[in-house]
Every structure is written in structure tokens, then in C-alpha cells.
Amino acid sequence: MFTKLLKHEWRATRGMLGTLCLVCLGASLLGGGTMRYLMIASTQDAQQNVIVVLNVLAMVAAMIAVAVVGVAALFVYIGRFYKSRFTDEGYLTFTLPVSTHQNLLASMANTAIGMVIVFFVICAALAIWLSIGFSGIPDFYQTVWEKLPELWDVFKRVWSTIPWNFFWVFLLDVLAGSVCELVVLMLSVTIGSILAKKHKILAAVGVYYGIHVALSMVTSFTMAMGVFSGTDGKIWMLRYLGGMALLMAAVSIVGYFLMYALVDRKLNLN
């Protein structure tokens, strides 16, 4: 039943997700095309100022579109969580033959899958944008191809200077922070929807802001302690990243079980 619930969540959001991905890819084509024109126009003596201004405006619009896609996708999934759990639809959702854990995890998994897809689409859009844009420079790709061995050597030298423990701790910190952000968003929606009789969205925003203020105070205090401790910079940074990863993991676990307790006991729909 959990698989069916996950499929239902995916079907409820895939249309909007597909639209946002198409917008992102379309914006990359627009941005790449305008960037290519501006590259070519910069090498020519005669330039049509009106067309140049229009291309600049179009490129700025494309930048905004690509930047907004990720935020819009997150709003879509959080909105879906709110609608399917804390509106009239929630009465049907929580009467399904699944546990509360499965109910919450299905929404979290669907959101995580969707955001990973959006991330890769944005990366592909940026690659398309730059590949089209730099094609406006004469012999750009030929020059890059000829310089590729030198660029590869530079990359290997830079990569060899990065300690593996820093790399893995940083990767763990990013992963823990992403999970924590998702849990905090869902927890804020849960608390706002349960405690507020009116203006539930506004209450959720207030809870989200309060949680992040508390986390910011903790991280700022930790950073200040490290700066004034006199510890070696590399060791301090490694400890700081590891400590932040542990903090984000702890917040995620506590936040999830708090959300579970609120949904399981306060809604009284199971």
C-alpha cells in the first residue's frame, strides 16, 4: 500500500513538475540564444542598440526563470503536503490502510525525488545555456579541446589538494542539511496547521522562521567559539562541518518524530 500511496503522490505532482522542467529547459534555450547573440555582437563594430537591450532583458528573464524553478518546485511539493494532509483531502488520506509513518514518508520521498529531478534538470539547463552561449565565441570549442589536457592537469592538481576527509564531511553536511530543511518545512506546516484555527499558512511561516532563528543562533555561537578558540583553521573547519552535520541530523530526527506525534495524536484521523 505504501508503494501505491507513493505512486498517487507522484501522479498528483508530476504534471506541475513536468511544466517547471520544460520552463527551465526553455529558459536555458532563450538564455543561451541571447548570450550567443551578445557574444557575437560584442565582436562587431556595428551593433543595433535596441536589439542588444532586448537580448539583455531576455537573458535576465531567463536567469530569473531558471532560479525560480527550484523554489517553485519546493512550493509545489510543500503545498501538496498541506493540501493532502491538512485540508478536506486529509480525511481521505489518513483513512487509507497505511501507518502514519508510511503516510509521512511517502510525502517526504516524493518531495525528495522531485527535488533531485529538478536539480539535475537545472544542471542540464545551465549546461545547455553555456554550450549555446559560448558557441558565439569564434573557435571557442576548438580552443577548449586543444587546452583540455592542460585543464585536466590543473583540475587534478586542485583536486589533490583537497583532503578526502573534508570532501566526505562536506558532502555529509550538504546531505544532512537538505534532509533537515525538508523536515523543518514539513514540521512547520504541520504545527501551523494543527495549532492555528485560522491563517494556517501564516502560522506555518512563523514557525519556520522561528526554527531557523534558533538554528542560526546555535550555528553562530558555534562558529564564534571556534574562531576565538585559537584552533588551527583546517581542523576547526573540519570539526565545524562535522558538528553541523550532526546538528542537522539531530534536528531532522527530532523534527520528524515531533511531526509524527502531532499528526498521529492531535489530528485524530487514523
Side-chain angles (χ1 to χ4, degrees), residues 113-134:
I113 292 170
M115 295 308 297
V116 169
I117 292 174
V118 169
F119 172 76
F120 282 110
V121 169
I122 291 176
C123 291
L126 294 176
I128 293 171
W129 184 318
L130 295 178
S131 63
I132 296 175
F134 285 125

PDB file of all heavy atoms in Angstrom, residues 113-134:
ATOM      1  N   ILE A 113      12.439  12.976  -4.299  1.00  0.00           N
ATOM      2  CA  ILE A 113      12.615  12.530  -5.685  1.00  0.00           C
ATOM      3  C   ILE A 113      12.402  13.696  -6.647  1.00  0.00           C
ATOM      4  O   ILE A 113      13.183  13.908  -7.581  1.00  0.00           O
ATOM      5  CB  ILE A 113      11.648  11.370  -6.003  1.00  0.00           C
ATOM      6  CG1 ILE A 113      12.035  10.124  -5.206  1.00  0.00           C
ATOM      7  CG2 ILE A 113      11.650  11.056  -7.496  1.00  0.00           C
ATOM      8  CD1 ILE A 113      11.016   9.014  -5.278  1.00  0.00           C
ATOM      9  N   GLY A 114      11.335  14.452  -6.421  1.00  0.00           N
ATOM     10  CA  GLY A 114      11.040  15.580  -7.294  1.00  0.00           C
ATOM     11  C   GLY A 114      12.126  16.632  -7.271  1.00  0.00           C
ATOM     12  O   GLY A 114      12.529  17.160  -8.316  1.00  0.00           O
ATOM     13  N   MET A 115      12.664  16.948  -6.088  1.00  0.00           N
ATOM     14  CA  MET A 115      13.696  17.967  -5.988  1.00  0.00           C
ATOM     15  C   MET A 115      15.020  17.505  -6.599  1.00  0.00           C
ATOM     16  O   MET A 115      15.766  18.310  -7.168  1.00  0.00           O
ATOM     17  CB  MET A 115      13.906  18.365  -4.528  1.00  0.00           C
ATOM     18  CG  MET A 115      12.710  19.048  -3.887  1.00  0.00           C
ATOM     19  SD  MET A 115      12.083  20.464  -4.834  1.00  0.00           S
ATOM     20  CE  MET A 115      13.487  21.574  -4.801  1.00  0.00           C
ATOM     21  N   VAL A 116      15.317  16.208  -6.507  1.00  0.00           N
ATOM     22  CA  VAL A 116      16.516  15.680  -7.169  1.00  0.00           C
ATOM     23  C   VAL A 116      16.373  15.805  -8.685  1.00  0.00           C
ATOM     24  O   VAL A 116      17.319  16.193  -9.391  1.00  0.00           O
ATOM     25  CB  VAL A 116      16.761  14.213  -6.761  1.00  0.00           C
ATOM     26  CG1 VAL A 116      17.828  13.576  -7.646  1.00  0.00           C
ATOM     27  CG2 VAL A 116      17.189  14.138  -5.304  1.00  0.00           C
ATOM     28  N   ILE A 117      15.180  15.490  -9.196  1.00  0.00           N
ATOM     29  CA  ILE A 117      14.932  15.633 -10.637  1.00  0.00           C
ATOM     30  C   ILE A 117      15.098  17.087 -11.058  1.00  0.00           C
ATOM     31  O   ILE A 117      15.742  17.391 -12.080  1.00  0.00           O
ATOM     32  CB  ILE A 117      13.530  15.111 -10.992  1.00  0.00           C
ATOM     33  CG1 ILE A 117      13.458  13.597 -10.797  1.00  0.00           C
ATOM     34  CG2 ILE A 117      13.159  15.482 -12.433  1.00  0.00           C
ATOM     35  CD1 ILE A 117      12.068  13.026 -10.991  1.00  0.00           C
ATOM     36  N   VAL A 118      14.538  18.004 -10.293  1.00  0.00           N
ATOM     37  CA  VAL A 118      14.653  19.432 -10.617  1.00  0.00           C
ATOM     38  C   VAL A 118      16.114  19.874 -10.583  1.00  0.00           C
ATOM     39  O   VAL A 118      16.561  20.650 -11.435  1.00  0.00           O
ATOM     40  CB  VAL A 118      13.811  20.266  -9.631  1.00  0.00           C
ATOM     41  CG1 VAL A 118      14.122  21.746  -9.769  1.00  0.00           C
ATOM     42  CG2 VAL A 118      12.327  20.030  -9.872  1.00  0.00           C
ATOM     43  N   PHE A 119      16.877  19.379  -9.614  1.00  0.00           N
ATOM     44  CA  PHE A 119      18.298  19.732  -9.521  1.00  0.00           C
ATOM     45  C   PHE A 119      19.046  19.331 -10.785  1.00  0.00           C
ATOM     46  O   PHE A 119      19.816  20.128 -11.353  1.00  0.00           O
ATOM     47  CB  PHE A 119      18.919  19.056  -8.301  1.00  0.00           C
ATOM     48  CG  PHE A 119      20.414  19.199  -8.216  1.00  0.00           C
ATOM     49  CD1 PHE A 119      20.987  20.390  -7.808  1.00  0.00           C
ATOM     50  CD2 PHE A 119      21.244  18.143  -8.563  1.00  0.00           C
ATOM     51  CE1 PHE A 119      22.363  20.532  -7.739  1.00  0.00           C
ATOM     52  CE2 PHE A 119      22.620  18.275  -8.499  1.00  0.00           C
ATOM     53  CZ  PHE A 119      23.181  19.470  -8.080  1.00  0.00           C
ATOM     54  N   PHE A 120      18.830  18.094 -11.250  1.00  0.00           N
ATOM     55  CA  PHE A 120      19.530  17.633 -12.451  1.00  0.00           C
ATOM     56  C   PHE A 120      19.042  18.362 -13.702  1.00  0.00           C
ATOM     57  O   PHE A 120      19.827  18.619 -14.628  1.00  0.00           O
ATOM     58  CB  PHE A 120      19.369  16.123 -12.612  1.00  0.00           C
ATOM     59  CG  PHE A 120      20.269  15.324 -11.713  1.00  0.00           C
ATOM     60  CD1 PHE A 120      19.741  14.599 -10.658  1.00  0.00           C
ATOM     61  CD2 PHE A 120      21.639  15.314 -11.906  1.00  0.00           C
ATOM     62  CE1 PHE A 120      20.566  13.869  -9.819  1.00  0.00           C
ATOM     63  CE2 PHE A 120      22.478  14.587 -11.072  1.00  0.00           C
ATOM     64  CZ  PHE A 120      21.943  13.862 -10.026  1.00  0.00           C
ATOM     65  N   VAL A 121      17.758  18.711 -13.728  1.00  0.00           N
ATOM     66  CA  VAL A 121      17.244  19.476 -14.863  1.00  0.00           C
ATOM     67  C   VAL A 121      17.876  20.858 -14.903  1.00  0.00           C
ATOM     68  O   VAL A 121      18.244  21.363 -15.974  1.00  0.00           O
ATOM     69  CB  VAL A 121      15.699  19.575 -14.793  1.00  0.00           C
ATOM     70  CG1 VAL A 121      15.170  20.591 -15.802  1.00  0.00           C
ATOM     71  CG2 VAL A 121      15.074  18.214 -15.061  1.00  0.00           C
ATOM     72  N   ILE A 122      18.022  21.494 -13.740  1.00  0.00           N
ATOM     73  CA  ILE A 122      18.669  22.812 -13.680  1.00  0.00           C
ATOM     74  C   ILE A 122      20.127  22.712 -14.128  1.00  0.00           C
ATOM     75  O   ILE A 122      20.625  23.572 -14.872  1.00  0.00           O
ATOM     76  CB  ILE A 122      18.570  23.400 -12.265  1.00  0.00           C
ATOM     77  CG1 ILE A 122      17.113  23.759 -11.952  1.00  0.00           C
ATOM     78  CG2 ILE A 122      19.448  24.633 -12.129  1.00  0.00           C
ATOM     79  CD1 ILE A 122      16.893  24.259 -10.540  1.00  0.00           C
ATOM     80  N   CYS A 123      20.820  21.656 -13.690  1.00  0.00           N
ATOM     81  CA  CYS A 123      22.209  21.457 -14.130  1.00  0.00           C
ATOM     82  C   CYS A 123      22.281  21.276 -15.640  1.00  0.00           C
ATOM     83  O   CYS A 123      23.159  21.854 -16.308  1.00  0.00           O
ATOM     84  CB  CYS A 123      22.817  20.246 -13.423  1.00  0.00           C
ATOM     85  SG  CYS A 123      23.103  20.478 -11.654  1.00  0.00           S
ATOM     86  N   ALA A 124      21.353  20.476 -16.203  1.00  0.00           N
ATOM     87  CA  ALA A 124      21.322  20.284 -17.648  1.00  0.00           C
ATOM     88  C   ALA A 124      20.999  21.583 -18.364  1.00  0.00           C
ATOM     89  O   ALA A 124      21.574  21.894 -19.422  1.00  0.00           O
ATOM     90  CB  ALA A 124      20.289  19.210 -18.005  1.00  0.00           C
ATOM     91  N   ALA A 125      20.078  22.373 -17.799  1.00  0.00           N
ATOM     92  CA  ALA A 125      19.715  23.657 -18.405  1.00  0.00           C
ATOM     93  C   ALA A 125      20.904  24.607 -18.437  1.00  0.00           C
ATOM     94  O   ALA A 125      21.142  25.298 -19.439  1.00  0.00           O
ATOM     95  CB  ALA A 125      18.552  24.283 -17.633  1.00  0.00           C
ATOM     96  N   LEU A 126      21.675  24.651 -17.351  1.00  0.00           N
ATOM     97  CA  LEU A 126      22.859  25.511 -17.324  1.00  0.00           C
ATOM     98  C   LEU A 126      23.906  25.049 -18.328  1.00  0.00           C
ATOM     99  O   LEU A 126      24.577  25.876 -18.970  1.00  0.00           O
ATOM    100  CB  LEU A 126      23.448  25.538 -15.917  1.00  0.00           C
ATOM    101  CG  LEU A 126      22.581  26.199 -14.840  1.00  0.00           C
ATOM    102  CD1 LEU A 126      23.241  26.075 -13.473  1.00  0.00           C
ATOM    103  CD2 LEU A 126      22.317  27.662 -15.168  1.00  0.00           C
ATOM    104  N   ALA A 127      24.049  23.714 -18.474  1.00  0.00           N
ATOM    105  CA  ALA A 127      24.999  23.191 -19.453  1.00  0.00           C
ATOM    106  C   ALA A 127      24.576  23.568 -20.875  1.00  0.00           C
ATOM    107  O   ALA A 127      25.406  23.968 -21.704  1.00  0.00           O
ATOM    108  CB  ALA A 127      25.109  21.669 -19.318  1.00  0.00           C
ATOM    109  N   ILE A 128      23.272  23.448 -21.159  1.00  0.00           N
ATOM    110  CA  ILE A 128      22.762  23.835 -22.482  1.00  0.00           C
ATOM    111  C   ILE A 128      22.964  25.327 -22.715  1.00  0.00           C
ATOM    112  O   ILE A 128      23.392  25.760 -23.798  1.00  0.00           O
ATOM    113  CB  ILE A 128      21.271  23.455 -22.599  1.00  0.00           C
ATOM    114  CG1 ILE A 128      21.101  21.936 -22.587  1.00  0.00           C
ATOM    115  CG2 ILE A 128      20.660  24.044 -23.872  1.00  0.00           C
ATOM    116  CD1 ILE A 128      19.654  21.487 -22.489  1.00  0.00           C
ATOM    117  N   TRP A 129      22.649  26.103 -21.693  1.00  0.00           N
ATOM    118  CA  TRP A 129      22.800  27.568 -21.769  1.00  0.00           C
ATOM    119  C   TRP A 129      24.228  27.946 -22.147  1.00  0.00           C
ATOM    120  O   TRP A 129      24.464  28.702 -23.093  1.00  0.00           O
ATOM    121  CB  TRP A 129      22.421  28.159 -20.420  1.00  0.00           C
ATOM    122  CG  TRP A 129      22.431  29.653 -20.326  1.00  0.00           C
ATOM    123  CD1 TRP A 129      23.359  30.505 -20.849  1.00  0.00           C
ATOM    124  CD2 TRP A 129      21.475  30.476 -19.647  1.00  0.00           C
ATOM    125  NE1 TRP A 129      23.061  31.799 -20.537  1.00  0.00           N
ATOM    126  CE2 TRP A 129      21.908  31.808 -19.804  1.00  0.00           C
ATOM    127  CE3 TRP A 129      20.331  30.211 -18.918  1.00  0.00           C
ATOM    128  CZ2 TRP A 129      21.216  32.877 -19.254  1.00  0.00           C
ATOM    129  CZ3 TRP A 129      19.638  31.278 -18.358  1.00  0.00           C
ATOM    130  CH2 TRP A 129      20.068  32.586 -18.524  1.00  0.00           C
ATOM    131  N   LEU A 130      25.199  27.413 -21.409  1.00  0.00           N
ATOM    132  CA  LEU A 130      26.598  27.779 -21.627  1.00  0.00           C
ATOM    133  C   LEU A 130      27.117  27.240 -22.956  1.00  0.00           C
ATOM    134  O   LEU A 130      27.909  27.916 -23.639  1.00  0.00           O
ATOM    135  CB  LEU A 130      27.453  27.261 -20.473  1.00  0.00           C
ATOM    136  CG  LEU A 130      27.161  27.889 -19.107  1.00  0.00           C
ATOM    137  CD1 LEU A 130      28.032  27.254 -18.033  1.00  0.00           C
ATOM    138  CD2 LEU A 130      27.381  29.396 -19.136  1.00  0.00           C
ATOM    139  N   SER A 131      26.688  26.026 -23.322  1.00  0.00           N
ATOM    140  CA  SER A 131      27.161  25.450 -24.587  1.00  0.00           C
ATOM    141  C   SER A 131      26.682  26.272 -25.775  1.00  0.00           C
ATOM    142  O   SER A 131      27.426  26.488 -26.739  1.00  0.00           O
ATOM    143  CB  SER A 131      26.699  24.003 -24.716  1.00  0.00           C
ATOM    144  OG  SER A 131      25.284  23.924 -24.758  1.00  0.00           O
ATOM    145  N   ILE A 132      25.437  26.760 -25.723  1.00  0.00           N
ATOM    146  CA  ILE A 132      24.924  27.606 -26.798  1.00  0.00           C
ATOM    147  C   ILE A 132      25.574  28.988 -26.740  1.00  0.00           C
ATOM    148  O   ILE A 132      25.980  29.543 -27.770  1.00  0.00           O
ATOM    149  CB  ILE A 132      23.393  27.727 -26.717  1.00  0.00           C
ATOM    150  CG1 ILE A 132      22.727  26.367 -26.940  1.00  0.00           C
ATOM    151  CG2 ILE A 132      22.875  28.725 -27.755  1.00  0.00           C
ATOM    152  CD1 ILE A 132      21.224  26.388 -26.746  1.00  0.00           C
ATOM    153  N   GLY A 133      25.672  29.535 -25.539  1.00  0.00           N
ATOM    154  CA  GLY A 133      26.205  30.883 -25.392  1.00  0.00           C
ATOM    155  C   GLY A 133      27.651  31.008 -25.841  1.00  0.00           C
ATOM    156  O   GLY A 133      28.000  31.911 -26.611  1.00  0.00           O
ATOM    157  N   PHE A 134      28.505  30.082 -25.421  1.00  0.00           N
ATOM    158  CA  PHE A 134      29.920  30.171 -25.766  1.00  0.00           C
ATOM    159  C   PHE A 134      30.192  29.813 -27.221  1.00  0.00           C
ATOM    160  O   PHE A 134      31.306  30.063 -27.710  1.00  0.00           O
ATOM    161  CB  PHE A 134      30.755  29.278 -24.840  1.00  0.00           C
ATOM    162  CG  PHE A 134      30.929  29.844 -23.470  1.00  0.00           C
ATOM    163  CD1 PHE A 134      30.567  29.112 -22.351  1.00  0.00           C
ATOM    164  CD2 PHE A 134      31.459  31.112 -23.286  1.00  0.00           C
ATOM    165  CE1 PHE A 134      30.721  29.633 -21.077  1.00  0.00           C
ATOM    166  CE2 PHE A 134      31.627  31.642 -22.007  1.00  0.00           C
ATOM    167  CZ  PHE A 134      31.250  30.906 -20.908  1.00  0.00           C
TER     168      PHE A 134
END
